[in-house]
Amino acid sequence: MKKITSKGIKSLIRNNLVTVLFLVICSIGIPLSGYSPSYLISEIIVRLSRNSFLILSLLIPIMAGMGLNFGMTLGAMAGQIGLIFVTDWNVVGIPAMVLAIIISIPISILLGQLCGRILNKAKGREMVTSYILGFFMNGVYQLIVLYGMGSIIPIKNTSLVLPRGYGIRNTVNLIGIRRSLDSLFNLSIFGIKIPLMTFIVIALVCVFIVWFRKTKLGQDMRAVGQDMEVAASAGIQVEHTRIVSIVISTVVAGIGMIIYLQNIGTLNTYNSHTQIGMFSVAALLVGGASVSKANIGNVFLGVILFHLMFIVSPMAGKNLIGQAQLGEYFRVFVSYGVITMSLVLYEMRKKRENLANAEKLQENQGALNED
Amino acid sequence: MRINKRFYIRAVAIIVVILFAILMAFVGKQHTILLDNKNIEVNGAELKALSIVEIQVDKQPSLELAKRDRDQALVQGQTHTFLVTYNDENWEEIVLEKKVKVPFSEDMLIFSIPAFINDIDDVDSYLQPFEIENVSE
């Protein structure tokens, strides 16, 4: 049996500092909030079904060494466009979701291609580039939705269009597809509702990711992620592989956004997608992932811990100092803080590894010289 | 452009997806059907509203309408079954059932119960498109 040493514990904590920090925050916040365990569990289940699909979209670009894909907002925009169309056409239920997915996929592929090509020109700075690209595409999205829809793109549903005759309203009621996937096949355990069908869909994506890692393309992505030059010399089309990883991520993010919004039931036309990238990345990092390494377990652990903090912090803030607003500030502060901290820790770890490698190399060279 | 087996497979896949999308649109299209029990004029003849009538659309809960009542049913898909139950002047219960196809492009339709009872086969007389007029000051 492996011996547990203080050194081992220290390295475990050091390697999972963000997760440990969140465990501490949650363990303090839960008793302060005063929420019952059954309430917390049911809320966590809702959040798991709502967010997991979106966060899973981040795994493949990490595998290809492209870091955290903030460009997933592009996919989210595609999903929202699909939802606007199905709402306009008055299509409801599961067929509406499927139709929205079918509409979003070509848009996601197009945006993913664009994103992938740009990221290939910014190797080594993928994260900041994709983050800024998200802002840029948000402008294009707003131009299309605010000025194009209703004028160039026909929208006949008057409840969707602004009173001036073109442009989509700030809020779109998704009553036609609200909880259509979640309520398709429900399970109730001790009064806690479990949206089984949504979890089956999430499980299918997990299976797809596990299977994809074993395929030729998946192996190529891993090789590209480890070392682009070595991969290129082995005959792998590095740039193409990177584009494919971003395209897959964008498509999955688009579908994830549709699942996310069917759970919420309302589309905030100009804001829903803007924060989704940051919150998804933060949740994945909280789950113990890093810029270069992430797995399915990180996704679920991240959603549980990150959203547990989301649930308890307003009430904990209210009980602590009498203001729920503190919790709201805390959420945003922690989301950005987690990303910053993870990036700093990742860089520190990389530097430490490089230093250790250099020392080893020097030692080896010294030994060779002595011989 | 090089046309090979892969091109054909991709073309067929795209066509299948488009057809599937069209199918989804037909299956998921929602219509609002206003169930109307008011006097109506059909081909110059005035048809009187029933004093009390029960109507069921598809498997939805049945609705009871008095004279001059109007209710609505939200239906999904293109073909719907209307089941109307009423008593005639001899207090005998009469049940009428009809499967009706709804035009895809219409979001809202009005279903006139007196016209339906008058001639169950003349769909155009009892199921008509309905548009909400925008009232501006």
Side-chain angles (χ1 to χ4, degrees):
Chain A
M1 219 176 99
K2 227 177 176 178
K3 235 183 180 177
I4 301 167
T5 60
S6 64
K7 207 177 171 186
I9 294 170
K10 259 185 196 169
S11 89
L12 186 79
I13 292 173
R14 204 169 50 203
N15 291 337
N16 300 287
L17 200 61
V18 182
T19 314
V20 172
L21 192 71
F22 257 75
L23 277 170
V24 173
I25 292 172
C26 290
S27 55
I28 296 168
I30 291 169
L32 276 174
S33 71
Y35 285 132
S36 67
S38 64
Y39 173 78
L40 286 175
I41 291 167
S42 68
E43 278 294 310
I44 286 294
I45 285 168
V46 169
R47 309 277 176 140
L48 269 172
S49 69
R50 189 191 289 167
N51 293 283
S52 301
F53 203 109
L54 268 168
I55 303 168
L56 283 166
S57 74
L58 293 168
L59 295 185
I60 288 173
I62 291 174
M63 199 166 86
M66 298 179 83
L68 301 154
N69 180 25
F70 284 96
M72 67 177 285
T73 44
L74 274 61
M77 288 175 207
Q80 288 180 188
I81 289 173
L83 286 174
I84 291 170
F85 280 121
V86 295
T87 311
D88 178 43
W89 299 334
N90 210 13
V91 181
V92 298
I94 292 293
M97 275 191 73
V98 176
L99 191 56
I101 289 169
I102 293 172
I103 295 165
S104 83
I105 287 173
I107 304 169
S108 294
I109 291 173
L110 214 72
L111 293 174
Q113 279 265 355
L114 175 84
C115 186
R117 279 172 203 277
I118 290 169
L119 296 187
N120 272 342
K121 294 200 185 328
K123 286 191 190 104
R125 299 179 300 277
E126 286 93 349
M127 281 195 286
V128 70
T129 311
S130 64
Y131 195 62
I132 298 301
L133 193 65
F135 284 120
F136 167 68
M137 282 315 293
N138 187 28
V140 178
Y141 169 83
Q142 286 191 12
L143 183 76
I144 294 167
V145 177
L146 200 55
Y147 293 101
M149 287 191 171
S151 55
I152 302 163
I153 304 160
I155 301 286
K156 61 172 186 162
N157 191 339
T158 48
S159 66
L160 275 180
V161 183
L162 289 164
R164 68 181 183 198
Y166 61 91
I168 302 297
R169 284 177 195 268
N170 278 336
T171 314
V172 174
N173 190 357
L174 300 175
I175 191 81
I177 65 155
R178 190 170 187 264
R179 304 243 161 130
S180 50
L181 184 68
D182 293 345
S183 55
L184 194 66
F185 190 30
N186 262 330
L187 198 74
S188 190
I189 300 171
F190 301 117
I192 297 165
K193 268 189 182 174
I194 299 167
L196 213 57
M197 200 60 212
T198 315
F199 282 116
I200 289 170
V201 173
I202 292 165
L204 286 175
V205 185
C206 295
V207 171
F208 166 76
I209 289 168
V210 171
W211 166 80
F212 184 77
R213 277 185 179 157
K214 290 172 187 166
T215 61
K216 163 84 172 65
L217 190 60
Q219 297 286 350
D220 286 357
M221 276 184 197
R222 283 163 79 172
V224 170
Q226 273 162 14
D227 198 319
M228 273 190 272
E229 280 173 26
V230 173
S233 59
I236 296 168
Q237 289 179 291
V238 174
E239 302 216 331
H240 173 75
T241 310
R242 283 161 59 93
I243 291 173
V244 170
S245 80
I246 291 291
V247 168
I248 295 172
S249 171
T250 316
V251 169
V252 176
I255 301 168
M257 192 64 182
I258 293 166
I259 293 174
Y260 174 87
L261 288 171
Q262 65 86 34
N263 180 276
I264 300 245
T266 312
L267 164 65
N268 206 333
T269 316
Y270 304 102
N271 293 320
S272 278
H273 57 281
T274 51
Q275 301 242 301
I276 219 71
M278 193 192 69
F279 284 153
S280 300
V281 165
L284 187 65
L285 292 173
V286 167
S290 75
V291 176
S292 59
K293 211 172 149 195
N295 58 42
I296 293 164
N298 298 140
V299 173
F300 294 107
L301 182 63
V303 175
I304 292 169
L305 289 177
F306 191 64
H307 286 276
L308 193 61
M309 195 261 318
F310 262 36
I311 299 159
V312 299
S313 62
M315 195 50 91
K318 195 182 165 208
N319 291 343
L320 203 64
I321 60 159
Q323 276 187 335
Q325 200 65 30
L326 174 85
E328 292 297 321
Y329 288 126
F330 196 60
R331 287 181 190 198
V332 181
F333 157 75
V334 167
S335 309
Y336 282 112
V338 160
I339 297 172
T340 315
M341 199 172 156
S342 297
L343 295 178
V344 170
L345 286 172
Y346 175 72
E347 282 304 318
M348 275 169 64
R349 200 178 304 150
K350 216 162 98 177
K351 253 184 195 166
R352 220 172 24 231
E353 277 170 14
N354 286 347
L355 211 71
N357 286 342
E359 273 174 14
K360 224 180 217 174
L361 207 72
Q362 249 177 356
E363 273 175 26
N364 287 346
Q365 253 175 352
L368 273 172
N369 287 343
E370 275 173 25
D371 288 341
Chain B
M1 204 173 82
R2 216 175 65 212
I3 296 176
N4 53 18
K5 196 178 160 190
R6 183 181 277 192
F7 173 82
Y8 287 114
I9 292 169
R10 283 180 179 176
V12 169
I14 290 168
I15 291 165
V16 168
V17 170
I18 292 169
L19 289 175
F20 188 65
I22 294 167
L23 176 76
M24 285 296 111
F26 272 88
V27 171
K29 175 82 180 179
Q30 190 182 51
H31 304 274
T32 305
I33 298 181
L34 302 172
L35 306 163
D36 192 56
N37 185 26
K38 289 179 185 170
N39 293 352
I40 186 172
E41 206 178 279
V42 178
N43 301 327
E46 197 186 12
L47 305 170
K48 294 270 180 208
L50 287 99
S51 54
I52 197 97
V53 63
E54 208 178 282
I55 181 161
Q56 188 183 21
V57 185
D58 297 333
K59 295 269 188 280
Q60 293 184 20
S62 59
L63 300 161
E64 204 174 68
L65 302 178
K67 207 179 241 178
R68 290 195 294 275
D69 265 359
R70 181 181 279 179
D71 213 323
Q72 70 165 18
L74 292 172
V75 292
Q76 194 182 326
Q78 300 313 112
T79 311
H80 306 286
T81 310
F82 293 87
L83 184 78
V84 174
T85 313
Y86 68 102
N87 290 325
D88 65 2
E89 54 270 25
N90 302 321
W91 286 101
E92 276 192 35
E93 194 179 86
I94 295 171
V95 180
L96 296 171
E97 193 179 350
K98 178 87 176 168
K99 220 174 214 181
V100 179
K101 222 171 179 179
V102 174
F104 176 77
S105 57
E106 298 299 340
D107 285 339
M108 195 177 267
L109 296 118
I110 188 158
F111 180 89
S112 171
I113 298 168
F116 178 77
I117 291 164
N118 180 54
D119 188 354
I120 196 167
D121 295 319
D122 187 9
V123 179
D124 293 337
S125 71
Y126 58 81
L127 193 68
Q128 287 177 342
F130 186 86
E131 264 182 50
I132 301 168
E133 280 179 26
N134 284 325
V135 182
S136 54
E137 284 173 25

